[in-house]
């Protein structure tokens, strides 16, 4: 049975920047570039009818598209690091989207996610890696950041048990709403004013 989670995809330019962080740490299992993503909410192994309920509920989300930036490299696992991650610059928009998905999952009585939501992109899984090596890797890449990029949709992804994570498959996608352009506003306002005058 596939394991489900909601996520944001990483655009090509940002994924290329992330790929330059690969290497330089013996024992790290690097995530394939095409599998980079930001997990919004882990759902887990669920029956098909539950997956359908989740997808139907996610259909009702209406949120504007927003901009994100990746910034900094860190390790998860304080005493024994288990993964390398790229951080996400603080964003009220990603927090709000996560909170709405979390409320949906709670209404559907899904198992709560006990971990605090810390948006990130996993770069590598660590096993039998020396702490000194991790510290050296992080200190030499601490100033990492990407150019800001637009998030135009969120997705429901699936994964199967594998070494190192992936491959991840997009099962369904939901667009975020693009802002109305200032050109549209300029065109429409005079027409609305003209109707009032007549």
């Amino acid at each position: 049975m596939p394991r489900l989670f909601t996520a944001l995809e990483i655009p090509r330019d940002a994924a290329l920047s992330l790929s330059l962080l690969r290497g330089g740490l013996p024992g790290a299992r690097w995530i394939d570039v095409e599998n980079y993503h930001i997990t919004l909410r882990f759902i887990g192994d669920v029956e098909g009818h539950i997956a359908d309920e989740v997808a139907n509920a996610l259909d009702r989300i209406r949120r504007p598209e927003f901009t994100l930036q990746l910034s900094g490299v860190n390790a998860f696992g304080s005493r024994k690091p288990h993964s390398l991650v790229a951080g996400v610059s603080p964003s009220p928009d990603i927090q709000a989207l996560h909170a709405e998905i979390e409320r949906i999952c709670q209404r559907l009585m899904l198992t709560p996610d006990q971990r605090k939501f810390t948006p990130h992109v996993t770069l590598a899984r660590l096993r039998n890696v020396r702490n000194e090596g991790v510290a050296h890797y992080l200190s030499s890449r601490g100033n990492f950041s990407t150019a800001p990029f637009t998030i135009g949709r969120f997705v429901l992804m699936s994964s199967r048990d594998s070494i190192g994570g992936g491959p991840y498959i997009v099962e369904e996608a939901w667009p975020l709403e693009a802002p109305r352009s200032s050109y549209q506003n300029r065109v429409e306002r005079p027409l609305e004013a003209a109707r009032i005058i007549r």
Side-chain angles (χ1 to χ4, degrees):
M1 186 183 299
R3 191 161 286 153
L4 296 178
F5 57 97
T6 55
L8 301 177
E9 299 157 296
I10 304 298
R12 183 171 296 157
D13 287 352
L16 179 60
S17 297
L18 289 169
S19 72
L20 300 177
L21 297 170
R22 293 163 64 95
L25 183 58
R29 289 199 321 266
W30 300 96
I31 302 295
D32 291 336
V33 175
E34 62 270 19
N35 287 322
Y36 289 151
H37 65 274
I38 299 168
T39 299
L40 289 169
R41 209 304 186 161
F42 182 73
I43 294 167
D45 302 314
V46 294
E47 299 292 337
H49 70 281
I50 300 292
D52 289 340
E53 283 185 41
V54 170
N56 288 338
L58 294 174
D59 271 339
R60 294 192 285 275
I61 291 179
R62 298 285 179 271
R63 292 208 155 267
E65 63 182 32
F66 56 92
T67 300
L68 277 187
Q69 183 174 16
L70 304 180
S71 177
V73 180
N74 206 343
F76 282 175
S78 50
R79 290 187 183 174
K80 188 169 173 38
H82 55 75
S83 54
L84 289 177
V85 302
V88 176
S89 295
S91 162
D93 296 298
I94 194 174
Q95 295 290 342
L97 179 57
H98 164 262
E100 187 162 356
I101 293 171
E102 181 60 39
R103 285 192 294 275
I104 286 169
C105 291
Q106 287 178 9
R107 278 199 302 273
L108 295 174
M109 310 295 284
L110 296 175
T111 305
D113 192 344
Q114 302 297 338
R115 295 165 296 186
K116 179 180 182 291
F117 179 55
T118 306
H120 64 277
V121 179
T122 302
L123 303 172
R125 310 279 182 203
L126 306 180
R127 254 172 131 190
N128 304 320
V129 176
R130 296 179 51 171
N131 287 6
E132 299 81 15
V134 174
H136 176 73
Y137 174 90
L138 295 176
S139 66
S140 63
R141 290 160 178 82
N143 61 352
F144 168 79
S145 68
T146 64
F149 52 89
T150 299
I151 297 294
R153 70 181 196 170
F154 69 98
V155 298
L156 184 65
M157 281 186 162
S158 66
S159 68
R160 298 184 185 275
D161 282 336
S162 63
I163 295 173
Y168 300 116
I169 298 163
V170 174
E171 300 290 346
E172 201 157 338
W174 292 272
L176 299 173
E177 296 172 353
R180 290 164 60 109
S181 71
S182 56
Y183 173 76
Q184 280 178 308
N185 291 338
R186 284 199 304 272
V187 168
E188 289 169 11
R189 278 184 191 138
L191 290 175
E192 288 164 2
R195 281 192 209 106
I196 293 166
I197 292 166
R198 286 180 196 160

mmCIF file with all atom_site columns, all heavy atoms in Angstrom, residues 129-149:
data_model
loop_
_atom_site.group_PDB
_atom_site.id
_atom_site.type_symbol
_atom_site.label_atom_id
_atom_site.label_alt_id
_atom_site.label_comp_id
_atom_site.label_asym_id
_atom_site.label_entity_id
_atom_site.label_seq_id
_atom_site.pdbx_PDB_ins_code
_atom_site.Cartn_x
_atom_site.Cartn_y
_atom_site.Cartn_z
_atom_site.occupancy
_atom_site.B_iso_or_equiv
_atom_site.pdbx_formal_charge
_atom_site.auth_seq_id
_atom_site.auth_comp_id
_atom_site.auth_asym_id
_atom_site.auth_atom_id
_atom_site.pdbx_PDB_model_num
ATOM 1   N N   . VAL A 1 129 ? 27.554 7.999  10.075 1.00 0.00 ? 129 VAL A N   1
ATOM 2   C CA  . VAL A 1 129 ? 28.299 9.206  9.702  1.00 0.00 ? 129 VAL A CA  1
ATOM 3   C C   . VAL A 1 129 ? 28.812 9.850  10.984 1.00 0.00 ? 129 VAL A C   1
ATOM 4   O O   . VAL A 1 129 ? 28.075 9.990  11.966 1.00 0.00 ? 129 VAL A O   1
ATOM 5   C CB  . VAL A 1 129 ? 27.390 10.185 8.923  1.00 0.00 ? 129 VAL A CB  1
ATOM 6   C CG1 . VAL A 1 129 ? 28.125 11.474 8.614  1.00 0.00 ? 129 VAL A CG1 1
ATOM 7   C CG2 . VAL A 1 129 ? 26.889 9.546  7.642  1.00 0.00 ? 129 VAL A CG2 1
ATOM 8   N N   . ARG A 1 130 ? 30.059 10.255 10.967 1.00 0.00 ? 130 ARG A N   1
ATOM 9   C CA  . ARG A 1 130 ? 30.654 10.856 12.166 1.00 0.00 ? 130 ARG A CA  1
ATOM 10  C C   . ARG A 1 130 ? 30.118 12.269 12.379 1.00 0.00 ? 130 ARG A C   1
ATOM 11  O O   . ARG A 1 130 ? 29.958 13.030 11.424 1.00 0.00 ? 130 ARG A O   1
ATOM 12  C CB  . ARG A 1 130 ? 32.176 10.896 12.020 1.00 0.00 ? 130 ARG A CB  1
ATOM 13  C CG  . ARG A 1 130 ? 32.797 9.511  11.942 1.00 0.00 ? 130 ARG A CG  1
ATOM 14  C CD  . ARG A 1 130 ? 34.280 9.588  11.773 1.00 0.00 ? 130 ARG A CD  1
ATOM 15  N NE  . ARG A 1 130 ? 34.874 10.467 12.781 1.00 0.00 ? 130 ARG A NE  1
ATOM 16  C CZ  . ARG A 1 130 ? 36.187 10.581 12.977 1.00 0.00 ? 130 ARG A CZ  1
ATOM 17  N NH1 . ARG A 1 130 ? 37.020 9.883  12.246 1.00 0.00 ? 130 ARG A NH1 1
ATOM 18  N NH2 . ARG A 1 130 ? 36.649 11.398 13.888 1.00 0.00 ? 130 ARG A NH2 1
ATOM 19  N N   . ASN A 1 131 ? 29.842 12.606 13.635 1.00 0.00 ? 131 ASN A N   1
ATOM 20  C CA  . ASN A 1 131 ? 29.326 13.942 13.959 1.00 0.00 ? 131 ASN A CA  1
ATOM 21  C C   . ASN A 1 131 ? 30.269 15.039 13.489 1.00 0.00 ? 131 ASN A C   1
ATOM 22  O O   . ASN A 1 131 ? 29.835 16.102 13.053 1.00 0.00 ? 131 ASN A O   1
ATOM 23  C CB  . ASN A 1 131 ? 29.081 14.068 15.467 1.00 0.00 ? 131 ASN A CB  1
ATOM 24  C CG  . ASN A 1 131 ? 27.852 13.278 15.908 1.00 0.00 ? 131 ASN A CG  1
ATOM 25  O OD1 . ASN A 1 131 ? 27.250 12.558 15.118 1.00 0.00 ? 131 ASN A OD1 1
ATOM 26  N ND2 . ASN A 1 131 ? 27.494 13.403 17.167 1.00 0.00 ? 131 ASN A ND2 1
ATOM 27  N N   . GLU A 1 132 ? 31.579 14.779 13.579 1.00 0.00 ? 132 GLU A N   1
ATOM 28  C CA  . GLU A 1 132 ? 32.563 15.792 13.140 1.00 0.00 ? 132 GLU A CA  1
ATOM 29  C C   . GLU A 1 132 ? 32.423 16.053 11.643 1.00 0.00 ? 132 GLU A C   1
ATOM 30  O O   . GLU A 1 132 ? 32.554 17.185 11.188 1.00 0.00 ? 132 GLU A O   1
ATOM 31  C CB  . GLU A 1 132 ? 34.004 15.328 13.448 1.00 0.00 ? 132 GLU A CB  1
ATOM 32  C CG  . GLU A 1 132 ? 34.300 15.110 14.912 1.00 0.00 ? 132 GLU A CG  1
ATOM 33  C CD  . GLU A 1 132 ? 33.797 13.755 15.430 1.00 0.00 ? 132 GLU A CD  1
ATOM 34  O OE1 . GLU A 1 132 ? 33.472 12.867 14.600 1.00 0.00 ? 132 GLU A OE1 1
ATOM 35  O OE2 . GLU A 1 132 ? 33.690 13.605 16.659 1.00 0.00 ? 132 GLU A OE2 1
ATOM 36  N N   . GLY A 1 133 ? 32.156 14.988 10.880 1.00 0.00 ? 133 GLY A N   1
ATOM 37  C CA  . GLY A 1 133 ? 31.976 15.150 9.436  1.00 0.00 ? 133 GLY A CA  1
ATOM 38  C C   . GLY A 1 133 ? 30.749 15.972 9.125  1.00 0.00 ? 133 GLY A C   1
ATOM 39  O O   . GLY A 1 133 ? 30.765 16.828 8.227  1.00 0.00 ? 133 GLY A O   1
ATOM 40  N N   . VAL A 1 134 ? 29.656 15.733 9.876  1.00 0.00 ? 134 VAL A N   1
ATOM 41  C CA  . VAL A 1 134 ? 28.419 16.502 9.682  1.00 0.00 ? 134 VAL A CA  1
ATOM 42  C C   . VAL A 1 134 ? 28.664 17.970 10.016 1.00 0.00 ? 134 VAL A C   1
ATOM 43  O O   . VAL A 1 134 ? 28.261 18.870 9.260  1.00 0.00 ? 134 VAL A O   1
ATOM 44  C CB  . VAL A 1 134 ? 27.268 15.933 10.542 1.00 0.00 ? 134 VAL A CB  1
ATOM 45  C CG1 . VAL A 1 134 ? 26.029 16.819 10.451 1.00 0.00 ? 134 VAL A CG1 1
ATOM 46  C CG2 . VAL A 1 134 ? 26.940 14.505 10.116 1.00 0.00 ? 134 VAL A CG2 1
ATOM 47  N N   . ALA A 1 135 ? 29.343 18.223 11.139 1.00 0.00 ? 135 ALA A N   1
ATOM 48  C CA  . ALA A 1 135 ? 29.623 19.607 11.555 1.00 0.00 ? 135 ALA A CA  1
ATOM 49  C C   . ALA A 1 135 ? 30.459 20.325 10.500 1.00 0.00 ? 135 ALA A C   1
ATOM 50  O O   . ALA A 1 135 ? 30.196 21.487 10.167 1.00 0.00 ? 135 ALA A O   1
ATOM 51  C CB  . ALA A 1 135 ? 30.335 19.614 12.903 1.00 0.00 ? 135 ALA A CB  1
ATOM 52  N N   . HIS A 1 136 ? 31.459 19.633 9.941  1.00 0.00 ? 136 HIS A N   1
ATOM 53  C CA  . HIS A 1 136 ? 32.307 20.246 8.913  1.00 0.00 ? 136 HIS A CA  1
ATOM 54  C C   . HIS A 1 136 ? 31.486 20.541 7.656  1.00 0.00 ? 136 HIS A C   1
ATOM 55  O O   . HIS A 1 136 ? 31.603 21.624 7.064  1.00 0.00 ? 136 HIS A O   1
ATOM 56  C CB  . HIS A 1 136 ? 33.482 19.322 8.578  1.00 0.00 ? 136 HIS A CB  1
ATOM 57  C CG  . HIS A 1 136 ? 34.333 19.840 7.467  1.00 0.00 ? 136 HIS A CG  1
ATOM 58  N ND1 . HIS A 1 136 ? 35.186 20.913 7.622  1.00 0.00 ? 136 HIS A ND1 1
ATOM 59  C CD2 . HIS A 1 136 ? 34.435 19.455 6.167  1.00 0.00 ? 136 HIS A CD2 1
ATOM 60  C CE1 . HIS A 1 136 ? 35.794 21.171 6.469  1.00 0.00 ? 136 HIS A CE1 1
ATOM 61  N NE2 . HIS A 1 136 ? 35.347 20.296 5.565  1.00 0.00 ? 136 HIS A NE2 1
ATOM 62  N N   . TYR A 1 137 ? 30.637 19.585 7.256  1.00 0.00 ? 137 TYR A N   1
ATOM 63  C CA  . TYR A 1 137 ? 29.798 19.782 6.077  1.00 0.00 ? 137 TYR A CA  1
ATOM 64  C C   . TYR A 1 137 ? 28.909 21.013 6.253  1.00 0.00 ? 137 TYR A C   1
ATOM 65  O O   . TYR A 1 137 ? 28.807 21.870 5.370  1.00 0.00 ? 137 TYR A O   1
ATOM 66  C CB  . TYR A 1 137 ? 28.938 18.537 5.819  1.00 0.00 ? 137 TYR A CB  1
ATOM 67  C CG  . TYR A 1 137 ? 27.947 18.713 4.699  1.00 0.00 ? 137 TYR A CG  1
ATOM 68  C CD1 . TYR A 1 137 ? 28.285 18.401 3.389  1.00 0.00 ? 137 TYR A CD1 1
ATOM 69  C CD2 . TYR A 1 137 ? 26.664 19.226 4.942  1.00 0.00 ? 137 TYR A CD2 1
ATOM 70  C CE1 . TYR A 1 137 ? 27.380 18.595 2.350  1.00 0.00 ? 137 TYR A CE1 1
ATOM 71  C CE2 . TYR A 1 137 ? 25.760 19.422 3.918  1.00 0.00 ? 137 TYR A CE2 1
ATOM 72  C CZ  . TYR A 1 137 ? 26.120 19.099 2.625  1.00 0.00 ? 137 TYR A CZ  1
ATOM 73  O OH  . TYR A 1 137 ? 25.226 19.312 1.595  1.00 0.00 ? 137 TYR A OH  1
ATOM 74  N N   . LEU A 1 138 ? 28.247 21.111 7.424  1.00 0.00 ? 138 LEU A N   1
ATOM 75  C CA  . LEU A 1 138 ? 27.321 22.223 7.664  1.00 0.00 ? 138 LEU A CA  1
ATOM 76  C C   . LEU A 1 138 ? 28.041 23.557 7.715  1.00 0.00 ? 138 LEU A C   1
ATOM 77  O O   . LEU A 1 138 ? 27.555 24.556 7.183  1.00 0.00 ? 138 LEU A O   1
ATOM 78  C CB  . LEU A 1 138 ? 26.554 21.985 8.973  1.00 0.00 ? 138 LEU A CB  1
ATOM 79  C CG  . LEU A 1 138 ? 25.604 20.785 8.996  1.00 0.00 ? 138 LEU A CG  1
ATOM 80  C CD1 . LEU A 1 138 ? 24.989 20.620 10.375 1.00 0.00 ? 138 LEU A CD1 1
ATOM 81  C CD2 . LEU A 1 138 ? 24.517 20.919 7.932  1.00 0.00 ? 138 LEU A CD2 1
ATOM 82  N N   . SER A 1 139 ? 29.214 23.596 8.345  1.00 0.00 ? 139 SER A N   1
ATOM 83  C CA  . SER A 1 139 ? 29.922 24.873 8.486  1.00 0.00 ? 139 SER A CA  1
ATOM 84  C C   . SER A 1 139 ? 30.385 25.411 7.135  1.00 0.00 ? 139 SER A C   1
ATOM 85  O O   . SER A 1 139 ? 30.481 26.623 6.951  1.00 0.00 ? 139 SER A O   1
ATOM 86  C CB  . SER A 1 139 ? 31.118 24.726 9.437  1.00 0.00 ? 139 SER A CB  1
ATOM 87  O OG  . SER A 1 139 ? 32.089 23.868 8.860  1.00 0.00 ? 139 SER A OG  1
ATOM 88  N N   . SER A 1 140 ? 30.611 24.528 6.179  1.00 0.00 ? 140 SER A N   1
ATOM 89  C CA  . SER A 1 140 ? 31.093 24.995 4.871  1.00 0.00 ? 140 SER A CA  1
ATOM 90  C C   . SER A 1 140 ? 29.943 25.354 3.926  1.00 0.00 ? 140 SER A C   1
ATOM 91  O O   . SER A 1 140 ? 30.179 25.831 2.826  1.00 0.00 ? 140 SER A O   1
ATOM 92  C CB  . SER A 1 140 ? 31.983 23.924 4.222  1.00 0.00 ? 140 SER A CB  1
ATOM 93  O OG  . SER A 1 140 ? 31.238 22.752 3.977  1.00 0.00 ? 140 SER A OG  1
ATOM 94  N N   . ARG A 1 141 ? 28.690 25.125 4.355  1.00 0.00 ? 141 ARG A N   1
ATOM 95  C CA  . ARG A 1 141 ? 27.546 25.407 3.477  1.00 0.00 ? 141 ARG A CA  1
ATOM 96  C C   . ARG A 1 141 ? 26.467 26.236 4.175  1.00 0.00 ? 141 ARG A C   1
ATOM 97  O O   . ARG A 1 141 ? 25.322 26.263 3.741  1.00 0.00 ? 141 ARG A O   1
ATOM 98  C CB  . ARG A 1 141 ? 26.939 24.082 2.993  1.00 0.00 ? 141 ARG A CB  1
ATOM 99  C CG  . ARG A 1 141 ? 27.853 23.358 2.015  1.00 0.00 ? 141 ARG A CG  1
ATOM 100 C CD  . ARG A 1 141 ? 27.516 21.891 1.901  1.00 0.00 ? 141 ARG A CD  1
ATOM 101 N NE  . ARG A 1 141 ? 28.365 21.214 0.931  1.00 0.00 ? 141 ARG A NE  1
ATOM 102 C CZ  . ARG A 1 141 ? 29.587 20.768 1.196  1.00 0.00 ? 141 ARG A CZ  1
ATOM 103 N NH1 . ARG A 1 141 ? 30.102 20.944 2.402  1.00 0.00 ? 141 ARG A NH1 1
ATOM 104 N NH2 . ARG A 1 141 ? 30.298 20.162 0.270  1.00 0.00 ? 141 ARG A NH2 1
ATOM 105 N N   . GLY A 1 142 ? 26.835 26.907 5.244  1.00 0.00 ? 142 GLY A N   1
ATOM 106 C CA  . GLY A 1 142 ? 25.861 27.636 6.055  1.00 0.00 ? 142 GLY A CA  1
ATOM 107 C C   . GLY A 1 142 ? 25.199 28.808 5.360  1.00 0.00 ? 142 GLY A C   1
ATOM 108 O O   . GLY A 1 142 ? 24.131 29.244 5.765  1.00 0.00 ? 142 GLY A O   1
ATOM 109 N N   . ASN A 1 143 ? 25.826 29.341 4.312  1.00 0.00 ? 143 ASN A N   1
ATOM 110 C CA  . ASN A 1 143 ? 25.247 30.530 3.664  1.00 0.00 ? 143 ASN A CA  1
ATOM 111 C C   . ASN A 1 143 ? 24.392 30.167 2.449  1.00 0.00 ? 143 ASN A C   1
ATOM 112 O O   . ASN A 1 143 ? 24.095 31.029 1.616  1.00 0.00 ? 143 ASN A O   1
ATOM 113 C CB  . ASN A 1 143 ? 26.366 31.497 3.243  1.00 0.00 ? 143 ASN A CB  1
ATOM 114 C CG  . ASN A 1 143 ? 27.320 30.857 2.244  1.00 0.00 ? 143 ASN A CG  1
ATOM 115 O OD1 . ASN A 1 143 ? 27.234 29.655 1.973  1.00 0.00 ? 143 ASN A OD1 1
ATOM 116 N ND2 . ASN A 1 143 ? 28.235 31.647 1.701  1.00 0.00 ? 143 ASN A ND2 1
ATOM 117 N N   . PHE A 1 144 ? 23.969 28.917 2.334  1.00 0.00 ? 144 PHE A N   1
ATOM 118 C CA  . PHE A 1 144 ? 23.171 28.486 1.184  1.00 0.00 ? 144 PHE A CA  1
ATOM 119 C C   . PHE A 1 144 ? 21.816 29.193 1.150  1.00 0.00 ? 144 PHE A C   1
ATOM 120 O O   . PHE A 1 144 ? 21.156 29.360 2.179  1.00 0.00 ? 144 PHE A O   1
ATOM 121 C CB  . PHE A 1 144 ? 22.930 26.970 1.242  1.00 0.00 ? 144 PHE A CB  1
ATOM 122 C CG  . PHE A 1 144 ? 21.896 26.507 0.262  1.00 0.00 ? 144 PHE A CG  1
ATOM 123 C CD1 . PHE A 1 144 ? 22.220 26.338 -1.073 1.00 0.00 ? 144 PHE A CD1 1
ATOM 124 C CD2 . PHE A 1 144 ? 20.586 26.263 0.659  1.00 0.00 ? 144 PHE A CD2 1
ATOM 125 C CE1 . PHE A 1 144 ? 21.259 25.928 -1.981 1.00 0.00 ? 144 PHE A CE1 1
ATOM 126 C CE2 . PHE A 1 144 ? 19.623 25.852 -0.239 1.00 0.00 ? 144 PHE A CE2 1
ATOM 127 C CZ  . PHE A 1 144 ? 19.965 25.684 -1.574 1.00 0.00 ? 144 PHE A CZ  1
ATOM 128 N N   . SER A 1 145 ? 21.405 29.635 -0.031 1.00 0.00 ? 145 SER A N   1
ATOM 129 C CA  . SER A 1 145 ? 20.033 30.113 -0.232 1.00 0.00 ? 145 SER A CA  1
ATOM 130 C C   . SER A 1 145 ? 19.699 30.049 -1.714 1.00 0.00 ? 145 SER A C   1
ATOM 131 O O   . SER A 1 145 ? 20.598 30.050 -2.565 1.00 0.00 ? 145 SER A O   1
ATOM 132 C CB  . SER A 1 145 ? 19.840 31.539 0.296  1.00 0.00 ? 145 SER A CB  1
ATOM 133 O OG  . SER A 1 145 ? 20.571 32.446 -0.492 1.00 0.00 ? 145 SER A OG  1
ATOM 134 N N   . THR A 1 146 ? 18.420 29.977 -2.021 1.00 0.00 ? 146 THR A N   1
ATOM 135 C CA  . THR A 1 146 ? 17.960 30.001 -3.403 1.00 0.00 ? 146 THR A CA  1
ATOM 136 C C   . THR A 1 146 ? 17.300 31.346 -3.677 1.00 0.00 ? 146 THR A C   1
ATOM 137 O O   . THR A 1 146 ? 16.950 32.077 -2.745 1.00 0.00 ? 146 THR A O   1
ATOM 138 C CB  . THR A 1 146 ? 16.911 28.902 -3.677 1.00 0.00 ? 146 THR A CB  1
ATOM 139 O OG1 . THR A 1 146 ? 15.739 29.169 -2.879 1.00 0.00 ? 146 THR A OG1 1
ATOM 140 C CG2 . THR A 1 146 ? 17.453 27.523 -3.346 1.00 0.00 ? 146 THR A CG2 1
ATOM 141 N N   . ALA A 1 147 ? 17.105 31.635 -4.941 1.00 0.00 ? 147 ALA A N   1
ATOM 142 C CA  . ALA A 1 147 ? 16.269 32.778 -5.309 1.00 0.00 ? 147 ALA A CA  1
ATOM 143 C C   . ALA A 1 147 ? 14.829 32.439 -4.920 1.00 0.00 ? 147 ALA A C   1
ATOM 144 O O   . ALA A 1 147 ? 14.435 31.260 -4.910 1.00 0.00 ? 147 ALA A O   1
ATOM 145 C CB  . ALA A 1 147 ? 16.363 33.039 -6.803 1.00 0.00 ? 147 ALA A CB  1
ATOM 146 N N   . PRO A 1 148 ? 14.009 33.430 -4.560 1.00 0.00 ? 148 PRO A N   1
ATOM 147 C CA  . PRO A 1 148 ? 12.595 33.153 -4.253 1.00 0.00 ? 148 PRO A CA  1
ATOM 148 C C   . PRO A 1 148 ? 11.902 32.520 -5.465 1.00 0.00 ? 148 PRO A C   1
ATOM 149 O O   . PRO A 1 148 ? 12.233 32.823 -6.614 1.00 0.00 ? 148 PRO A O   1
ATOM 150 C CB  . PRO A 1 148 ? 12.020 34.536 -3.953 1.00 0.00 ? 148 PRO A CB  1
ATOM 151 C CG  . PRO A 1 148 ? 13.199 35.377 -3.594 1.00 0.00 ? 148 PRO A CG  1
ATOM 152 C CD  . PRO A 1 148 ? 14.339 34.854 -4.413 1.00 0.00 ? 148 PRO A CD  1
ATOM 153 N N   . PHE A 1 149 ? 10.955 31.618 -5.202 1.00 0.00 ? 149 PHE A N   1
ATOM 154 C CA  . PHE A 1 149 ? 10.197 30.990 -6.283 1.00 0.00 ? 149 PHE A CA  1
ATOM 155 C C   . PHE A 1 149 ? 8.726  30.917 -5.886 1.00 0.00 ? 149 PHE A C   1
ATOM 156 O O   . PHE A 1 149 ? 8.380  30.954 -4.701 1.00 0.00 ? 149 PHE A O   1
ATOM 157 C CB  . PHE A 1 149 ? 10.739 29.596 -6.626 1.00 0.00 ? 149 PHE A CB  1
ATOM 158 C CG  . PHE A 1 149 ? 10.881 28.661 -5.451 1.00 0.00 ? 149 PHE A CG  1
ATOM 159 C CD1 . PHE A 1 149 ? 9.826  27.846 -5.051 1.00 0.00 ? 149 PHE A CD1 1
ATOM 160 C CD2 . PHE A 1 149 ? 12.074 28.596 -4.739 1.00 0.00 ? 149 PHE A CD2 1
ATOM 161 C CE1 . PHE A 1 149 ? 9.957  26.976 -3.972 1.00 0.00 ? 149 PHE A CE1 1
ATOM 162 C CE2 . PHE A 1 149 ? 12.218 27.729 -3.656 1.00 0.00 ? 149 PHE A CE2 1
ATOM 163 C CZ  . PHE A 1 149 ? 11.159 26.918 -3.275 1.00 0.00 ? 149 PHE A CZ  1
#
